[in-house]
Amino acid sequence: MGGKRKKSGNDDSDNDNNEERGQKKQEKKKTKREELLPSMIKNKEKRSELHAKLKRQKKLEKRAKHKARDAAEKRALELGEELPERKVPRTIENTRELDETICKPDDEELFAGNDADEFSSILKREQTPKILITTCRFNSSRGPDFIKELLSVIPNAHYYKRGTYDLKKIVEYAKNKDFTSIIVVHTNRREPDALLIIGIPDGPTAHFKLSKLVLRKDLKNHGTPTSHKPELVLNNFTTRLGHRIGRLIQSLFPQDPEFKGRRVVTFHNQRDFIFFRHHRYIFESREVKKTDAKGKKVKDGASGSGPELKAIARLQECGPRFTLKLISLQHGTFDTRGGEYEWVHKPEMDTSRRRFFL
């Protein structure tokens, strides 16, 4: 009559189903939260908070992968096994289009041409480079500042005012005065925008577009270079055209660097853009924190000896900083009318992002 009803088996199964449904709903909510992207949130504070959280999580995952890879390499070295292969990232540089003009180390024709080209006497140290630097006719205030820094970068360089002289007359003057190259700094709207490098006496003439110029005074914590002859570093000039441009740049600098000055001038070619950097390297001694066998830090007084010093090398940029893009390469000295061009960049040549010429 008034007794309690006993729970049947059907009621138990209903409760189990309800629990399963509740668990599925919670899992769905979790997946929704995980799939939530910052772009889906309208609130700026919550969006930036989620973005920072995802970025931190990605960084931790990347660090864990690196640790696992280093541990696997260490284990393989201890056991004498082969190291696991590292994945090579897919970039535009290593997926570039095949080019027949890429230089090979066993190319005899290339090395035979080096002995007979216009730069061989300078690169064999038979002649010392002597550079004449001038400007275009309508000069600006920023042009002389750039030239002043070029004079500190390139040894044995001399600046002459352009005035109203024609460039052909300047070439004749440079031949009579035993100059080996001419550099013309072109300016537009008070900003240097092009460089013309002319080899003397037989050329060639290279026309570069100049961009992203940063002078020494605008560089943070810049160094002051000495008058020593710098070391020259040329990177990634792989094709026949790139090899020729590399030798043209190389002919501007003496081939006997003075390592005491610790100066380095770098021309790095990447995707046909030549990045110029000027550094000096500095050696410093820093204290190294000692650790015991368990990996814990040991105080200086506990070990009974003074702090351990370690020599560290670092780079200090001296400036200027700029980027060059080759526009044309002409046979012989500068001639706009009857000149024969070795190579000219045209818009229709840019058919692919993976096609490079240098």
Side-chain angles (χ1 to χ4, degrees):
M1 294 222 345
K4 291 181 181 179
R5 288 178 62 190
K6 292 182 180 179
K7 289 183 180 179
S8 60
N10 293 331
D11 294 337
D12 294 336
S13 62
D14 290 338
N15 291 332
D16 293 338
N17 290 332
N18 290 332
E19 287 179 2
E20 287 178 4
R21 286 173 192 163
Q23 286 178 358
K24 285 180 180 178
K25 283 182 180 179
Q26 287 179 355
E27 287 175 2
K28 283 182 181 178
K29 285 181 181 179
K30 284 182 180 179
T31 52
K32 280 183 181 179
R33 286 175 185 170
E34 288 174 358
E35 292 173 1
L36 194 66
L37 298 173
S39 58
M40 298 163 67
I41 300 173
K42 292 183 179 180
N43 189 299
K44 187 178 179 181
E45 290 182 2
K46 289 182 179 180
R47 185 170 65 242
S48 59
E49 187 180 342
L50 180 62
H51 174 72
K53 186 180 178 182
L54 292 173
K55 194 175 180 181
R56 200 181 309 116
Q57 187 179 349
K58 193 175 180 181
K59 190 177 180 181
L60 290 171
E61 288 174 1
K62 191 176 180 180
R63 193 179 294 170
K65 279 184 183 179
H66 284 314
K67 281 185 179 180
R69 187 189 66 194
D70 294 341
E73 287 180 356
K74 191 176 180 181
R75 199 182 307 113
L77 284 170
E78 288 174 355
L79 298 173
E81 299 175 354
E82 292 185 1
L83 295 174
E85 291 185 3
R86 290 197 174 192
K87 293 181 180 179
V88 179
R90 185 182 172 86
T91 61
I92 292 178
E93 281 82 7
N94 60 23
T95 56
R96 67 180 291 178
E97 288 184 3
L98 291 174
D99 193 347
E100 295 177 355
T101 63
I102 289 178
C103 303
K104 297 178 181 178
D106 57 347
D107 194 343
E108 295 179 359
E109 185 184 349
L110 178 68
F111 294 113
N114 288 343
D115 296 332
D117 67 0
E118 303 92 338
F119 320 112
S120 58
S121 60
I122 296 173
L123 301 186
K124 288 179 180 177
R125 301 184 186 180
E126 295 173 1
Q127 188 179 5
T128 55
K130 186 181 177 183
I131 316 300
L132 186 150
I133 300 178
T134 187
T135 60
C136 61
R137 286 182 176 177
F138 302 100
N139 196 14
S140 69
S141 58
R142 198 165 155 86
D145 293 339
F146 175 52
I147 289 171
K148 193 182 292 183
E149 295 191 8
L150 277 181
L151 292 170
S152 66
V153 171
I154 304 173
N156 203 16
H158 308 273
Y159 170 63
Y160 288 84
K161 287 184 179 181
R162 175 70 179 270
T164 57
Y165 290 103
D166 191 36
L167 195 54
K168 288 184 179 180
K169 289 184 179 179
I170 295 172
V171 170
E172 291 176 5
Y173 175 81
K175 286 180 183 178
N176 296 330
K177 295 293 181 178
D178 296 328
F179 283 96
T180 58
S181 295
I182 299 173
I183 298 176
V184 182
V185 179
H186 186 271
T187 56
N188 184 23
R189 295 180 181 179
R190 300 183 179 181
E191 187 71 22
D193 69 334
L195 276 185
L196 197 67
I197 301 176
I198 306 169
I200 301 295
D202 302 320
T205 301
H207 179 209
F208 295 95
K209 180 186 175 184
L210 189 144
S211 60
K212 297 182 179 179
L213 173 63
V214 183
L215 297 175
R216 186 183 302 154
K217 62 182 181 181
D218 300 322
L219 291 171
K220 191 178 180 182
N221 299 326
H222 65 82
T224 304
T226 58
S227 59
H228 295 85
K229 297 175 186 176
E231 303 171 52
L232 182 64
V233 178
L234 297 171
N235 282 336
N236 208 20
F237 292 88
T238 54
T239 63
R240 288 287 184 97
L241 177 64
H243 181 74
R244 191 153 169 74
I245 292 298
R247 286 177 69 83
L248 173 66
I249 294 169
Q250 197 175 354
S251 67
L252 300 175
F253 293 86
Q255 304 305 303
D256 52 344
E258 296 173 346
F259 298 102
K260 290 181 180 179
R262 297 173 297 172
R263 291 175 60 201
V264 183
V265 172
T266 306
F267 289 87
H268 175 73
N269 173 41
Q270 188 170 354
R271 303 180 194 177
D272 287 349
F273 288 93
I274 302 171
F275 298 94
F276 173 87
R277 297 293 183 271
H278 180 205
H279 291 92
R280 62 191 293 263
Y281 48 91
I282 301 168
F283 296 105
E284 294 178 342
S285 56
R286 294 184 183 177
E287 293 184 9
V288 180
K289 293 180 180 178
K290 298 179 182 179
T291 56
D292 57 7
K294 296 180 181 179
K296 294 181 179 179
K297 293 177 183 177
V298 180
K299 293 181 180 179
D300 296 338
S303 59
S305 60
E308 187 179 347
L309 298 176
K310 185 180 179 182
I312 294 172
R314 68 177 180 89
L315 290 176
Q316 185 181 30
E317 193 168 358
C318 299
R321 181 195 297 176
F322 56 87
T323 305
L324 299 175
K325 173 83 171 176
L326 182 66
I327 303 298
S328 66
L329 183 66
Q330 184 182 354
H331 277 297
T333 55
F334 180 77
D335 189 0
T336 53
R337 292 183 180 179
E340 182 184 350
Y341 287 88
E342 296 183 38
W343 184 87
V344 180
H345 180 265
K346 296 177 182 178
E348 56 265 24
M349 296 166 71
D350 299 329
T351 55
S352 172
R353 291 180 65 204
R354 289 176 169 80
R355 189 183 181 194
F356 308 125
F357 302 98
L358 297 183

